[in-house]
Amino acid sequence: MDSASCSILRAQPFSSAAAVFPPSNNTTARFFALQKSNRNSSLVPPFSSTFTRNSTFPGKCLHFDRFSAFSSLSGAQDQNPSQELAVLLEVDGVLMDAYRLGNRQSFNAAFKKLGLDCASWPEPVYLDLLRMSAGDEEKMVNLYFNRIGWPSSLPTSEKASFVKNVLQKKKIAMDEFLMSESLTLRPGVEEFIDEAYKEGIPVVVLTTYSKSGDQIGRSIVEKLGQERVSKLKIVGDKEVEQSLYSQLVNDTGLSSGMDEQLAKEAIKSVSAEKQRIAEEVASLLKLSVDIDTSPSESLEKIIAALRAGAEVAGLPVCDCVLIAGSQSGVAGAERVGMPCVVLRSSLTARAEFPSANAIMDGFGGADLTIPKLRNKRRS
């Protein structure tokens, strides 16, 4: 459906008060100490004793799921022993806050594209929908048209396809906005990267799981300037696919069957251990339990990106810090045992991140700086 008339059926007023997102309280005090690099046996699950000390895995901190793994793989031989920290940056919510700048406008552009001239979201309406839907865009569209009325020409059975069409048009408009020159980066991010470079800290930008895709993610990175980008390492789809971790998991491109088998057996052992613990608890309650210990497809992609990022940086995952702008990034970091600092954005202003090591409001000043990352790791 490319267009639709927009007659109003039983219009109901929205809350006139825009949702207010208060900044996090005392961000400096909330900057919890990032865990120090720790390679003792407490970091590995009990079954780790099955691996010999001279295992052929080139990475340090060999763990799985919530534990770090395969971190310093392809770049291990080149790493500088004096390096103790690498920074991994997400694109969404970290390099830029696209939702604050263009999400609402993209919805309005989608409505216009579909001929829904009476459907327009001023900022108070958009913030109200955002609050009520917890950021779920499909729910936002449904809430809106349930309030103002659906297009009169739209059969009830086609509401789902109509919402899908709106979201498709909105994504196209958002992608065009992200590619435009009007998009600005988050204040302080350029200075943060420059500071890391001066300190000799590798900076890796993860474009592979950007919401708009690897290609648009790379175009956003280019806004940092050619000289700055030349000093960065970018991990996109190709880099993840070529990483040793992905080759181990996917059984591609490796001649060493022993390494592949070790990876498979370790993953099986973690799942078996989780299942055993769950069954012990269930037996006390006289329940039957069969848990799914495998991560979702999207989480698997994030995990692979974090592993590849650590490879590219030439350090174990426990010596890398993810600067995240999304819940999914935080979840991935928790699974691999990578310290994580959340940078709040307009989309996550009121979200909770219990597994993050710190939650900050931005770069520089009282918020996130390279010296703070170093000091907190040493404390």
Side-chain angles (χ1 to χ4, degrees):
M1 182 188 312
D2 291 329
S3 63
S5 60
C6 186
S7 64
I8 304 300
L9 313 175
R10 292 201 296 265
Q12 300 178 31
F14 279 98
S15 167
S16 59
V20 178
F21 300 145
S24 58
N25 295 326
N26 195 358
T27 56
T28 303
R30 296 183 63 185
F31 196 101
F32 305 117
L34 297 176
Q35 298 176 353
K36 279 192 164 188
S37 171
N38 188 347
R39 299 175 180 83
N40 61 31
S41 58
S42 65
L43 285 176
V44 298
F47 59 84
S48 62
S49 58
T50 61
F51 297 107
T52 58
R53 290 179 64 85
N54 61 348
S55 169
T56 54
F57 283 111
K60 300 178 182 178
C61 302
L62 175 60
H63 308 285
F64 292 86
D65 291 330
R66 284 192 62 180
F67 307 93
S68 46
F70 301 118
S71 312
S72 175
L73 295 173
S74 62
Q77 67 275 20
D78 298 322
Q79 80 178 53
N80 181 348
S82 67
Q83 289 179 349
E84 60 180 24
L85 175 66
V87 175
L88 276 59
L89 301 175
E90 289 189 346
V91 175
D92 301 317
V94 177
L95 290 188
M96 49 80 191
D97 189 354
Y99 283 87
R100 178 180 65 84
L101 296 170
N103 209 46
R104 179 177 66 86
Q105 293 90 328
S106 297
F107 270 111
N108 288 336
F111 296 143
K112 187 174 182 180
K113 191 89 171 179
L114 291 168
L116 302 170
D117 295 330
C118 62
S120 180
W121 292 356
E123 190 166 358
V125 169
Y126 171 75
L127 292 177
D128 200 32
L129 290 169
L130 194 66
R131 176 184 58 80
M132 291 187 293
S133 65
D136 185 320
E137 294 187 344
E138 182 177 343
K139 191 176 292 186
M140 290 173 72
V141 176
N142 276 293
L143 282 169
Y144 180 70
F145 284 102
N146 282 339
R147 286 289 187 91
I148 73 164
W150 296 81
S152 57
S153 61
L154 181 70
T156 303
S157 60
E158 294 183 12
K159 285 184 178 179
S161 61
F162 169 79
V163 172
K164 184 178 180 180
N165 199 18
V166 170
L167 294 178
Q168 287 175 342
K169 295 291 191 293
K170 180 261 174 183
K171 184 181 184 306
I172 293 172
M174 188 65 176
D175 288 349
E176 291 174 350
F177 170 74
L178 292 174
M179 297 286 283
S180 69
E181 295 182 359
S182 61
L183 176 67
T184 58
L185 299 171
R186 283 193 71 151
V189 65
E190 293 163 305
E191 291 79 5
F192 178 83
I193 292 172
D194 292 342
E195 194 174 23
Y197 178 73
K198 290 177 183 177
E199 294 272 344
I201 297 174
V203 177
V204 181
V205 181
L206 307 172
T207 61
T208 184
Y209 63 89
S210 173
K211 286 185 177 181
S212 297
D214 184 19
Q215 184 178 357
I216 293 179
R218 287 176 183 269
S219 72
I220 294 171
V221 174
E222 289 174 1
K223 294 179 181 293
L224 290 166
Q226 185 175 357
E227 182 180 356
R228 194 174 286 111
V229 170
S230 67
K231 300 171 185 176
L232 298 173
K233 302 176 189 294
I234 300 176
V235 172
D237 296 339
K238 182 179 179 181
E239 288 77 13
V240 171
E241 184 180 347
Q242 293 177 346
S243 69
L244 184 53
Y245 172 79
S246 291
Q247 292 180 51
L248 283 168
V249 171
N250 298 322
D251 299 331
T252 60
L254 289 177
S255 58
S256 173
M258 181 61 70
D259 282 352
E260 296 177 51
Q261 189 61 32
L262 281 172
K264 290 179 180 178
E265 291 302 320
I267 292 171
K268 287 180 182 177
S269 297
V270 173
S271 295
E273 181 69 8
K274 286 184 177 181
Q275 182 69 31
R276 183 189 66 77
I277 294 171
E279 287 175 352
E280 285 183 1
V281 174
S283 66
L284 297 175
L285 302 174
K286 297 182 179 181
L287 298 173
S288 175
V289 62
D290 182 17
I291 62 173
D292 180 9
T293 56
S294 60
S296 66
E297 183 178 351
S298 60
L299 185 56
E300 282 181 345
K301 184 173 184 179
I302 294 171
I303 289 171
L306 296 178
R307 304 283 194 203
E311 275 188 52
V312 167
L315 290 172
V317 292
C318 51
D319 286 340
C320 301
V321 178
L322 174 67
I323 311 302
S326 65
Q327 289 279 12
S328 54
V330 176
E334 183 181 13
R335 290 296 291 266
V336 303
M338 181 180 291
C340 177
V341 175
V342 171
L343 236 60
R344 289 196 184 277
S345 66
S346 58
L347 188 65
T348 61
R350 302 183 68 180
E352 296 294 330
F353 299 93
S355 65
N357 296 80
I359 303 173
M360 312 297 284
D361 289 326
F363 291 103
D367 289 302
L368 185 60
T369 62
I370 291 297
K372 282 184 179 177
L373 285 182
R374 279 200 180 281
N375 292 338
K376 293 301 178 181
R377 282 184 63 81
R378 290 170 178 164
S379 61

